[in-house]
Amino acid sequence: MTTTEFYQHLPVLETKRLILRPLQASDRNDLFEYTQDEETARYVTWNANQTIEQAEQFLNYVLSNYAQGKEAPWAIEWKETGKMIGTIDFIHLLLDENKQAELGYALSRQFWGKGIVTEAVECVMAYGFEELKLERIQARCMEGNIGSARVMEKVGMTYEGTLRRLIFIKEAFHDVKMYSLLRDEYVTMRQGSEYNTKQYQ
């Protein structure tokens, strides 16, 4: 499989409470609902949306990327209601001999503190290691993003260090913390544990 084929045919993944699936045109209102929140956008690279048209522009960009086989996220759907409550994605996905990817995610503030991102990350990492045969999965967060750092620690990632003033966004430079998990570490963690059951479609 190539990265183009992966993004063109993004698999549907399922956990106990979530469905991870490609975004749809019908997600527009749900997308705007959480992306307009300044607190949700605080530690991500994008600015909070001011209008529903801005959310629609992002949605159209994602749908175009699917068609072209370019980087694009899964929607995080809350099974109980069918509502889209966030996104999660593999960025910088390398399916050549390098076999690695970086995780990115964002979640509606209404659903913080429920272990939802941890559940989604476990599922995506399982797919990455078991189906895509990745050797390394990494994730980064701004130094002040305590919640995101905790997610990385919960799923077994190792803190590798802080990259000082790595990115300039929202009119300031930011230090970024780097975490990673390797294939052999994932295998060891899976043995004798209930790391997170998942279903692939």
Side-chain angles (χ1 to χ4, degrees), residues 58-187:
F58 173 73
L59 181 56
N60 290 336
Y61 168 77
V62 170
L63 297 179
S64 176
N65 277 10
Y66 290 147
Q68 298 177 67
K70 296 181 179 180
E71 289 180 4
W74 281 278
I76 300 175
E77 178 184 311
W78 186 241
K79 274 187 184 180
E80 187 175 319
T81 61
K83 186 181 186 65
M84 177 195 172
I85 60 173
T87 59
I88 186 168
D89 54 351
F90 274 143
I91 55 178
H92 310 311
L93 176 63
L94 298 175
L95 295 179
D96 56 14
E97 63 274 11
N98 291 289
K99 294 289 184 182
Q100 60 182 278
E102 182 168 325
L103 274 171
Y105 44 79
L107 184 72
S108 168
R109 183 154 59 109
Q110 295 180 11
F111 290 83
W112 289 4
K114 301 179 184 295
I116 291 172
V117 172
T118 300
E119 188 172 322
V121 167
E122 286 180 344
C123 182
V124 170
M125 289 203 312
Y127 183 84
F129 286 123
E130 296 177 15
E131 302 297 322
L132 299 180
K133 308 302 181 185
L134 298 179
E135 183 65 24
R136 170 188 168 94
I137 296 176
Q138 67 182 40
R140 299 182 291 173
C141 67
M142 293 185 202
E143 191 164 34
N145 193 346
I146 298 172
S148 187
R150 284 177 178 165
V151 168
M152 297 175 203
E153 293 164 359
K154 284 179 183 178
V155 300
M157 285 189 164
T158 296
Y159 169 65
E160 295 187 332
T162 297
L163 308 175
R164 299 179 300 165
R165 298 185 187 176
L166 180 68
I167 54 176
F168 182 84
I169 59 171
K170 300 175 183 176
E171 302 182 353
F173 281 101
H174 297 271
D175 294 346
V176 173
K177 300 177 73 172
M178 174 69 79
Y179 292 79
S180 71
L181 186 67
L182 304 180
R183 165 182 287 282
D184 56 353
E185 295 169 339
Y186 168 78
V187 171

